[in-house]
Structures are given as C-alpha cells and as structure tokens.
Amino acid sequence: QLQLVESGGGLVQPGGSLRLSCAASGFTLDYYDIGWFRQAPGKEREGVSCISSSGGSTNYADSVKGRFTISRDNAKNTVYLQMNSLEPEDTAVYYCAAIPRGWGCSNSMDYWGKGTLVTVSS
C-alpha cells in the first residue's frame, strides 16, 4: 500500500523551530517530486514548498522564503521541512504529497499524507 506519513508537528512558541518529516512506504520517493502544503483553519490549502526528485530544484511560497528549508534523503525515503522563525500565521495542518518526477508540485498531486498539526502560539 502506497503511503505518506508526516510527523514532527506540535506546539511551538513564536520564533521557534520545528522539523517536519514525510516518510514514504510502499514506494520509492526517488522517482517523485515532493511538496509540502498547509491548510489553516477556515482557509484554503496552499503550497509551501516543493523539491524535485533529485533534490536539485526547490521552491518556496513567498510567505516562508528565508525561514523554511525543504530537503530530502532518498536513502531514507524521507523528505523534511525545517521551519525556523515560526510565526502564529504558520499555524496549520501540514501535508506532504508526491507526484511522479517532472510534473512539479500543484494541488493535483497523486499521493497525500494525512497531515501533522503545527501550532505556533505563546
């Protein structure tokens, strides 16, 4: 069964950091572009960051540039999202998603995880 599982969410104070992980089972992430998305309460889901299958290309939403870093370890079949200088506006459920390499990230990804909640609050 093809599955993506996010972990690493939690409660953090403003200015703090978290690292999210996205682990795949049932398939090899080497052949997939991976995206992180988030959905805040009452808002639509938005793209946060995307990384190509090789890791050679990344992009970020303007709202997280300079604060978030996406990376991947294909040997561990895992993608990460390092989040620094967190702000209350970053509070959301964070999802990872996969699409065959070359297609790029969008809301039409092939596989989605169930999400992990990040709450930024004092």
Side-chain angles (χ1 to χ4, degrees):
Q1 183 178 2
L2 306 182
Q3 195 173 12
L4 292 170
V5 179
E6 303 92 339
S7 62
L11 173 65
V12 62
Q13 291 187 343
S17 298
L18 283 175
R19 188 177 80 156
L20 305 183
S21 298
C22 171
S25 61
F27 67 111
T28 302
L29 284 182
D30 299 40
Y31 304 109
Y32 290 84
D33 299 336
I34 305 297
W36 282 98
F37 298 78
R38 68 186 181 186
Q39 187 166 21
K43 295 187 177 181
E44 293 187 355
R45 185 173 60 199
E46 63 174 347
V48 174
S49 183
C50 184
I51 187 166
S52 62
S53 59
S54 68
S57 176
T58 60
N59 58 59
Y60 299 90
D62 288 343
S63 59
V64 306
K65 278 181 184 176
R67 299 188 298 122
F68 291 11
T69 303
I70 192 170
S71 62
R72 64 191 300 156
D73 185 341
N74 286 345
K76 294 183 177 179
N77 222 24
T78 302
V79 174
Y80 305 97
L81 185 68
Q82 177 66 43
M83 306 186 297
N84 298 329
S85 301
L86 283 161
E87 304 168 352
E89 294 74 22
D90 296 316
T91 295
V93 177
Y94 284 72
Y95 302 88
C96 66
I99 195 164
R101 61 187 175 190
W103 284 90
C105 296
S106 73
N107 278 321
S108 300
M109 306 292 275
D110 282 2
Y111 305 107
W112 291 85
K114 293 183 178 180
T116 185
L117 176 63
V118 172
T119 303
V120 185
S121 176
S122 55

